[in-house]
């Protein structure tokens, strides 16, 4: 079985990582696929996001061969078809995630010729985490150290270091 976990991952958090690892318990291969959306301004480039993902997986998993890292910029359903994906996986943190996801799962199933989306309920330990909150805390925390401990609990170590670099550059520049 080959699963794809698509998302912005700007940057990858411990919540994302948990979903990817749980997916790998079900499938031989999990492709973590960054959506390269030119319409969306991101903090990290696609290449940076891909590097952080592979480093984050390496931090926690010995079975790194089960993971592949890729990006796509068209319709997810097209990617799924071209790569012979068995199912799409996504995480659900709240009812509002579910509401937003439901129509996509139907469109993706129709467009891909029947590929379903499997949803994982977020671990309560991570259900409050989003990349946008991480960036908001980091943008304030890096300069003065306030909130750094909280940040460490939200993201993999490599992401914490990358956020430090990004925001200290912004402070200097
Ligand atoms: P997108 O812009 O496609 O929603 P994200 O990077 O925000 O991209 O999220 C990718 C996927 O990871 C989505 O399915 C999202 O619900 C899930 N996700 C994000 N944060 C968490 C979390 N803390 N716990 C579980 N799933 C999460």
């Amino acid at each position: 079985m080959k699963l794809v976990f698509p998302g912005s991952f700007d940057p990858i958090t411990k919540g994302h990582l948990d979903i990817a690892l749980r997916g790998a318990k079900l499938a031989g291969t999990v492709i973590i696929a960054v959506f390269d959306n030119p319409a969306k301004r991101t903090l990290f480039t696609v290449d940076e996001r891909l590097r952080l993902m592979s480093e984050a997986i390496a931090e926690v998993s010995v079975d790194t061969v089960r993971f592949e890292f890729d990006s796509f910029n068209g319709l997810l359903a097209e990617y799924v078809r071209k790569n012979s994906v068995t199912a799409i996986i996504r995480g659900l943190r709240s009812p509002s995630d579910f509401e937003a996801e439901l129509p996509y799962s139907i469109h993706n199933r129709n467009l891909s010729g029947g590929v379903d989306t499997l949803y994982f309920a977020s671990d309560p330990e991570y259900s409050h985490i989003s990349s946008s909150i991480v960036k908001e805390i980091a943008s304030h925390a890096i300069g003065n150290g306030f909130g750094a401990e909280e940040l460490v609990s939200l993201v993999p170590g490599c992401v914490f270091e990358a956020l430090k670099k990004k925001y200290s550059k912004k402070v200097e520049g």
Side-chain angles (χ1 to χ4, degrees):
M1 191 147 103
K2 195 198 241 185
L3 301 177
V4 65
F5 182 27
S8 308
F9 306 113
D10 184 42
I12 188 166
T13 68
K14 286 191 178 172
H16 292 131
L17 200 52
D18 183 53
I19 303 300
L21 296 175
R22 286 160 64 189
K25 284 190 191 158
L26 300 180
T29 304
V30 175
I31 309 171
I32 308 182
V34 173
F35 180 35
D36 181 6
N37 180 359
K40 202 167 168 182
R41 273 196 67 203
T42 57
L43 179 64
F44 292 97
T45 64
V46 170
D47 284 348
E48 287 172 328
R49 282 178 273 163
L50 288 170
R51 180 182 56 77
L52 287 172
M53 281 171 179
S54 73
E55 285 180 18
I57 292 287
E59 275 179 29
V60 291
S61 172
V62 282
D63 212 2
T64 48
V65 288
R66 307 265 300 276
F67 295 92
E68 289 174 14
F69 306 93
D70 201 0
S71 63
F72 67 101
N73 57 15
L75 285 175
L76 176 61
E78 197 183 338
Y79 181 87
V80 159
R81 266 202 135 138
K82 279 191 183 148
N83 291 279
S84 309
V85 164
T86 320
I88 299 161
I89 58 169
R90 298 277 287 174
L92 293 179
R93 287 162 293 185
S94 63
S96 62
D97 267 358
F98 176 71
E99 270 183 41
E101 288 290 330
L102 193 57
Y104 284 102
S105 71
I106 297 168
H107 288 302
N108 282 327
R109 188 161 181 268
N110 290 344
L111 286 164
S112 65
V115 174
D116 271 308
T117 303
L118 308 176
Y119 293 101
F120 290 81
S122 176
D123 187 312
E125 199 183 334
Y126 305 124
S127 59
H128 60 305
I129 306 178
S130 68
S131 298
S132 47
I133 292 178
V134 160
K135 284 180 280 191
E136 192 174 339
I137 297 174
S139 70
H140 298 292
I142 301 300
N144 57 20
F146 178 80
E149 222 172 274
E150 171 70 3
L151 207 50
V152 167
S153 73
L154 307 179
V155 293
C158 59
V159 173
F160 179 69
E161 292 306 320
L163 286 166
K164 270 207 297 204
K165 269 196 203 143
K166 264 295 170 203
Y167 283 108
S168 54
K169 259 188 218 150
K170 284 198 177 194
V171 170
E172 280 164 21

